[in-house]
Amino acid sequence: MIIPGILISILTFPGVAVHELAHQIFCRICRIPVYEVKYFQMKNPCGYVLHEPASNPWKNLLTGLGPFFVNTFLGILITLPAYANVFGYGSHPSPFIQLCSYLLYWLGVSILMHAFPSTGDAKSLITNVLKNKEVNFLAKAVTAPFIGLIYLGALGSMFWLDLAYGISISMLLPQLISTWLF
């Protein structure tokens, strides 16, 4: 059974909002003017950031990949404290703490699921970097593999790669940390 992407986006709306916020943050860091931001809407695309094309290809790459860094970091930060209660490694918490842990875990995984840049981000990189005659070969050579990875991620999302990423990161990192600490 195929679940429409819009339904997944509605169920994981915090991840969509953080994805767009990450683009906006990197636009500000790179001093790229932003014209319009839609953090979430109930249509395709579920969110977007309209900004001026950057004259510098490295700024284009950073703004395109911004959600990967921000969503991954924030998703880890949110799921980490909930991990023990969700997977039964902590003491026996109260029902309220247990419910809060599950809500935090859902929030973190939904944010992690939207860490991958979208095909719209890849198209922007193609237009502003690869097809731009003023951009040097090195910038194009560095950007091209990332564009390929973005499209692979989009293809993988049809097979739940985004969910697998979210769950894997939220489970593996706490296990690694506990192995290092104990």
Side-chain angles (χ1 to χ4, degrees):
M1 177 172 115
I2 296 177
I3 300 174
I6 188 83
L7 182 58
I8 299 299
S9 293
I10 290 168
L11 293 172
T12 60
F13 69 91
V16 175
V18 172
H19 179 104
E20 301 311 332
L21 179 62
H23 282 307
Q24 186 178 21
I25 288 169
F26 274 83
C27 281
R28 290 191 192 259
I29 289 169
C30 295
R31 295 195 169 121
I32 300 169
V34 173
Y35 303 130
E36 183 180 356
V37 178
K38 183 67 77 170
Y39 294 109
F40 185 78
Q41 61 184 0
M42 301 271 261
K43 59 183 179 177
N44 195 8
C46 290
Y48 59 87
V49 175
L50 295 177
H51 58 84
E52 187 174 286
S55 57
N56 182 317
W58 305 110
K59 289 180 179 182
N60 279 302
L61 186 60
L62 275 175
T63 57
L65 297 179
F68 181 76
F69 303 117
V70 172
N71 284 51
T72 299
F73 177 75
L74 190 59
I76 288 168
L77 201 63
I78 290 171
T79 57
L80 202 53
Y83 177 81
N85 290 331
V86 169
F87 293 102
Y89 293 114
S91 60
H92 299 290
S94 70
F96 176 74
I97 297 294
Q98 192 69 29
L99 176 63
C100 288
S101 295
Y102 279 107
L103 287 173
L104 268 179
Y105 203 76
W106 161 78
L107 178 64
V109 169
S110 72
I111 290 170
L112 284 162
M113 283 180 65
H114 291 277
F116 295 159
S118 67
T119 55
D121 300 328
K123 290 174 185 172
S124 175
L125 287 170
I126 289 169
T127 301
N128 296 321
V129 178
L130 294 188
K131 290 185 176 180
N132 187 340
K133 291 180 170 110
E134 296 176 15
V135 172
N136 67 43
F137 177 77
L138 177 63
K140 290 179 181 188
V142 169
T143 302
F146 286 108
I147 294 169
L149 288 172
I150 292 169
Y151 278 114
L152 278 174
L155 180 64
S157 72
M158 294 189 317
F159 302 101
W160 298 94
L161 178 65
D162 44 3
L163 178 61
Y165 176 79
I167 291 173
S168 297
I169 296 297
S170 68
M171 291 178 75
L172 292 176
L173 194 65
Q175 289 178 355
L176 287 173
I177 290 170
S178 67
T179 301
W180 291 332
L181 293 177
F182 305 108

